[in-house]
Amino acid sequence: MILVDSNVIIDVASADPIWSDWSRNALRQAADSDEIAINPIIYAEVSPGFATIELLDAHLGDGAFRRLALPYEAGFIAGRAFVDYRRRGGQRTSPLPDFYIGAHAAVAGLSLLTRDPRRYAGYFPRVQLISPP
């Protein structure tokens, strides 16, 4: 199963001039090869681009994405990764959600489709990333 990072979904929804083609193609390939999924954090990060929950759900497609719960173990791992990030000099404003998404993929053994692999690769090296070359 492939967890789809919010940046990929936002690229497609917003027709991002730089990333939409890559994100659309990568999302299509992921869906053709495996089951694709989101979690509540990804859903929340995507939601500001939509006026209503109905519009968001319509954009996500009926059943296109499996909706996964967040494992508590991932919360612990995300918190530890964030502490490590802060010790390395990371700014307090860095989004903890990215660490939770990476930890979820790590704990559940999911691949992660993202166009921004830098943080995930550094803190979750066992997660298979699907990202731009």
Side-chain angles (χ1 to χ4, degrees):
M1 187 178 308
I2 300 169
L3 190 61
V4 180
D5 197 2
S6 53
N7 56 36
V8 172
I9 298 168
I10 292 168
D11 290 344
V12 174
S14 68
D16 182 274
I18 297 171
W19 288 106
S20 63
D21 287 342
W22 183 88
S23 292
R24 185 177 296 104
N25 290 332
L27 187 57
R28 187 176 298 123
Q29 289 175 357
D32 287 347
S33 69
D34 207 339
E35 189 172 13
I36 56 175
I38 59 173
N39 65 30
I41 291 174
I42 295 164
Y43 188 88
E45 287 186 321
V46 172
S47 70
F50 297 87
T52 67
I53 194 170
E54 292 80 11
L55 289 172
L56 172 56
D57 287 342
H59 177 76
L60 292 174
D62 187 31
F65 292 90
R66 185 166 174 195
R67 295 178 184 211
L68 303 176
L70 290 165
Y72 278 88
E73 183 182 357
F76 180 82
I77 292 170
R80 300 308 313 156
F82 187 71
V83 167
D84 190 31
Y85 167 80
R86 292 287 297 133
R87 285 186 182 141
R88 294 180 188 184
Q91 296 183 10
R92 190 173 306 271
T93 59
S94 176
L96 182 57
D98 286 350
F99 290 106
Y100 214 142
I101 291 166
H104 184 186
V107 166
L110 306 171
S111 297
L112 179 61
L113 173 60
T114 182
R115 68 161 159 82
D116 187 19
R118 190 178 63 244
R119 182 170 294 137
Y120 297 116
Y123 290 94
F124 306 101
R126 293 182 306 200
V127 172
Q128 179 186 352
L129 299 175
I130 303 166
S131 60

